[in-house]
Amino acid sequence: LTGAVRGPGPSQRDLVECFLRTVEAVVGLVELSDPLTAGNAASSMRLAEGVAREMGLPEERRQEVALSALLHDIGNFALKSGVLDKSGPLEPQEEAAIRQHTMRGVQLLEHIDFPWKIKPIIHHHHERYDGSGYPDGKKGRAIPIAARILSVVDAYLSITTRRPHRKPLSHDEAISEIK
């Protein structure tokens, strides 16, 4: 398709708006396959951008965090239906598949040359500061700051949202759990 559009092109603002709406449409497809997470991407984006703002990160980094948060679970599209909303314990192969979603997300975005470092953030958003996360077991400052922000936001939203296997925790309970 490159080069297929001719003549005076849209403004940069129009292109950015089109890009963001396209991303939202793709994220919407992922959320359609898992109704329990509907709205999670938008909530993640708002919270992650707010955390980045509170931390005093510059505008470009806040954009990077926000867009990464919007796309962070795109790899869930590769999961079999029913895995994320399973009410009982996960089988080992199901847990392994879920742990692959960060890498699957990066694979889905492989050919997009983002002006931000979105792919490493998506890849590492389940790493934990103590090294107990996945996929690489990174810890501390070896985890990109944006991935650390997204990790906390993702955990908070997961803890405070009803799941088939548990009730949601309150804000205060979630903060205590994260700490």
Side-chain angles (χ1 to χ4, degrees), residues 18-81:
C18 182
F19 168 73
L20 290 174
R21 297 296 159 245
T22 302
V23 168
E24 288 174 350
V26 170
V27 168
L29 281 174
V30 174
E31 290 183 343
L32 276 175
S33 68
D34 178 26
L36 283 176
T37 62
N40 182 61
S43 296
S44 295
M45 182 177 74
R46 282 190 303 277
L47 279 175
E49 197 278 333
V51 169
R53 182 181 305 279
E54 285 294 316
M55 292 176 67
L57 294 182
E59 177 65 25
E60 185 174 325
R61 295 302 300 271
R62 292 195 313 263
Q63 291 173 358
E64 179 180 77
V65 168
L67 192 52
S68 298
L70 189 60
L71 289 167
H72 78 282
D73 277 340
I74 195 168
N76 283 345
F77 197 69
L79 291 173
K80 287 183 183 177
S81 180

